[in-house]
Amino acid sequence: MSFDRLGLSPDLLRAVAAQGYTEPTPVQAEAIPIVLAGRDLLAGAQTGTGKTAAFVLPLLQRLATTPIRGSASPGRGAATAARGAPNGRGPIRTLILTPTRELCLQVEESVRTYSSQRPVRSVPIYGGVGFDPQARALRSGPAVVVATPGRLLDHVTQRTIDLRTVEILVLDEADRMLDMGFIRDIRKILALLPVERQNLLFSATFSAEIRQLADGLLRDPAFVQVTPKNTTAELVRQVVHPVDRERKRELLSHLIRSGRIDQALVFTRTKHGANRLSQQLERDGINAAAIHGNKSQSQRVRALSDLKSGRVAILVATDVAARGLDIEALPHVVNYELPTVPEDYIHRIGRTGRAGIDGDAVSLVCIDEAPLLQGIQKLLGRGIAAETIGGFEPDRSIRAEPIRFRSGMGQPAMGGQRAMGGQRSGGGRSTGGHAASGGQRPVHGQRPAGRGGTPATRGASPSRGGAPLGSRGGNGAPQRSGPSGTGIGSQRVALPGERLARQGR
Ligand code: AMP
């Protein structure tokens, strides 16, 4: 499938080609024609699937080809309609809501990138920075505003923004916005928009709360679901290092010092664990920083730019803190602790192996985590190679202990598959917890059979361990698998009770 069969205009195709994209990802292939047709859309897609271009490209085209509402005059040129008035100023025609500042900036940058051939004024609006420069930027008459909900409402209160002209609304990472307690803000914002508009809702998971939001928001929506399960597997070498519970930090320091891991995003289950680990690494003489939901925006942004620039070698993060961050070409992701939700493993390792560059996903797994590893391998449909590092062989006399979770966190069904979305540590504002999952089962995309791969690690010569810890069906060899092309598996499914899936293919 090539981009030019999706109905995109030549200028957008040029912008896409300039990015080096040769074919649309599944969510793009499915969503773009739907959005171009003016339909509402519910899309199950997470970061790494190419979801941003899936809504930005067609919405730019809609702006270019439909007259500004209320000013429709037969002779009005499409280009003028896109930019607003002839001087480039005009009403806000598209509002994109994102949960975090980072995502807001990334999406707004995508708007600029994809509109490079036919510029469209866009403005990012987010908290933690000065208000007045944003108010000034809004006065410049952007056609597209990308915003986090809280700061957007501040502008509403100060009357520095008028949302009555919005024609297209996008909720990006809607599940995360709800996780962060933005539902009331979102409802307030919805009440300020014109009733007649196109709505696009993107979410990685479908909890009862998301469904409720979607039901109230979307009109006769088309439904698209993709899963990035194999995206990551395509370019990511995955390996498990069995290690004792108490020796993980020592092993991580060893892997870093020996040069096997240089620049890495390291995942812990809890905020406290992230802080503690980064401090311990610092004591080991390794430049490390931690990010999690409790950190201020500026601290998180600084930590991220420090990792990107190489000032910090190791960024320790919780799942919540890392979702939505676009850290390009990150060579390593380390699961210092396995996630309790198998799908989070996919999210985590999606931080590496991007943009056609190989990456390593290294998991330090102790005996307590064997059931979690089993759950992950079950989700992947294959085993992950285990490799014991010399000097860190697990002590076989150590018995498994229950995994400790921070207070207030329920004990998940160990090793079993949970529905997507659910307990996540951290988070911003809270409305008192995440709603129970709506019972949506994880979608299993196409799973091509694994094929033999390259050694799972570079550099040192570890002793090969036996079967993967807790593996079922693992063959002990590093495996790489994934479909060709973008490597992003796609499967369209009807959600239980969903009144969707009507768009033609
Ligand atoms: P997203 O899921 O929107 O965060 O996108 C993930 C990454 O995929 C971004 O770095 C995009 O630049 C990249 N990307 C988006 N569409 C394509 C495509 N069709 N082919 C290759 N890479 C893409």
Side-chain angles (χ1 to χ4, degrees), residues 3 21 23-25 28 46-53 326 354 486:
F3 267 107
Y21 304 163
E23 59 179 279
T25 65
Q28 291 163 1
Q46 37 194 247
T47 298
T49 56
K51 68 179 169 63
T52 314
D326 193 8
R354 287 194 172 194
T486 57

Side-chain angles (χ1 to χ4, degrees), residues 6 95 101 124 231 249-250 377 400 483:
L6 298 178
L95 175 64
R101 165 192 171 134
T231 324
R249 200 261 310 133
E250 198 188 332
Q377 293 182 134

Side-chain angles (χ1 to χ4, degrees), residues 141-476:
V144 179
V145 167
V146 187
T148 54
R151 177 55 69 94
L152 183 71
L153 282 174
D154 293 343
H155 281 282
V156 168
T157 310
Q158 298 298 319
R159 296 176 190 274
T160 44
I161 195 166
D162 182 355
L163 298 174
R164 290 173 302 178
T165 53
V166 169
E167 297 161 40
I168 305 175
L169 170 73
V170 183
L171 299 188
D172 192 13
E173 300 200 1
D175 50 347
R176 199 161 163 222
M177 284 199 269
L178 299 194
D179 278 352
M180 294 173 74
F182 284 133
I183 186 65
R184 291 179 64 182
D185 287 353
I186 290 171
R187 293 206 184 282
K188 278 187 207 158
I189 292 164
L190 295 182
L192 299 166
L193 304 178
V195 179
E196 271 309 308
R197 58 172 199 264
Q198 186 177 7
N199 301 290
L200 316 176
L201 188 153
F202 284 74
S203 185
T205 60
F206 291 102
S207 64
E209 215 180 352
I210 286 285
R211 289 151 167 285
Q212 209 183 359
L213 178 68
D215 270 351
L217 182 72
L218 307 173
R219 267 195 245 167
D220 186 26
F223 178 61
V224 164
Q225 167 90 21
V226 301
T227 166
K229 284 180 180 64
N230 298 314
T231 324
T232 44
E234 172 92 359
L235 291 163
V236 179
R237 286 180 291 265
Q238 300 174 55
V239 67
V240 161
H241 294 315
V243 61
D244 289 339
R245 182 188 315 122
E246 305 297 337
R247 298 195 67 199
K248 284 191 175 189
R249 200 261 310 133
E250 198 188 332
L251 174 57
L252 181 58
S253 292
H254 168 79
L255 294 173
I256 297 166
R257 283 215 205 86
S258 64
R260 290 179 58 146
I261 292 177
D262 37 29
Q263 192 192 24
L265 185 59
V266 175
F267 284 94
T268 58
R269 273 191 290 265
T270 66
K271 296 178 236 183
H272 180 60
N275 273 337
R276 197 177 43 208
L277 179 61
S278 83
Q279 286 160 8
Q280 287 170 336
L281 291 173
E282 284 280 334
R283 280 202 287 275
D284 285 350
I286 293 159
N287 278 338
I291 52 167
H292 50 63
N294 279 6
K295 293 264 175 172
S296 72
Q297 290 284 26
S298 61
Q299 283 171 319
R300 294 172 62 194
V301 170
R302 201 178 322 125
L304 187 59
S305 70
D306 283 351
L307 181 71
K308 284 179 174 170
S309 70
R311 262 195 301 279
V312 158
I314 302 296
L315 189 56
V316 190
T318 55
D319 292 292
V320 160
R323 278 182 74 195
L325 294 184
D326 193 8
I327 305 169
E328 281 170 32
L330 196 63
H332 304 280
V333 163
V334 177
N335 293 301
Y336 185 77
E337 292 163 325
L338 286 183
T340 52
V341 179
E343 286 79 8
D344 280 344
Y345 177 84
I346 311 279
H347 287 257
R348 288 179 177 188
I349 71 171
R351 308 285 133 209
T352 185
R354 287 194 172 194
I357 296 161
D358 285 11
D360 287 318
V362 174
S363 300
L364 310 187
V365 179
C366 71
I367 186 80
D368 311 342
E369 296 171 304
L372 299 180
L373 182 61
Q374 261 182 24
I376 289 164
Q377 293 182 134
K378 193 169 163 200
L379 182 65
L380 293 173
R382 62 202 173 88
I384 304 172
E387 191 180 305
T388 305
I389 301 294
F392 290 90
E393 294 80 2
D395 177 347
R396 291 184 183 274
S397 68
I398 295 176
R399 297 267 158 263
E401 288 180 9
I403 290 174
R404 283 190 291 274
F405 299 93
R406 69 188 174 92
S407 56
M409 263 184 133
Q411 190 88 359
M414 299 282 282
Q417 292 195 25
R418 286 177 70 252
M420 284 186 180
Q423 297 144 346
R424 299 191 184 283
S425 60
R429 299 192 225 177
S430 172
T431 46
H434 189 274
S437 163
Q440 163 74 357
R441 297 203 46 88
V443 175
H444 294 260
Q446 299 97 4
R447 285 197 196 120
R451 51 188 150 87
T454 53
T457 53
R458 322 180 238 255
S461 54
S463 63
R464 288 241 166 233
L469 233 187
S471 83
R472 273 191 265 173
N475 61 10

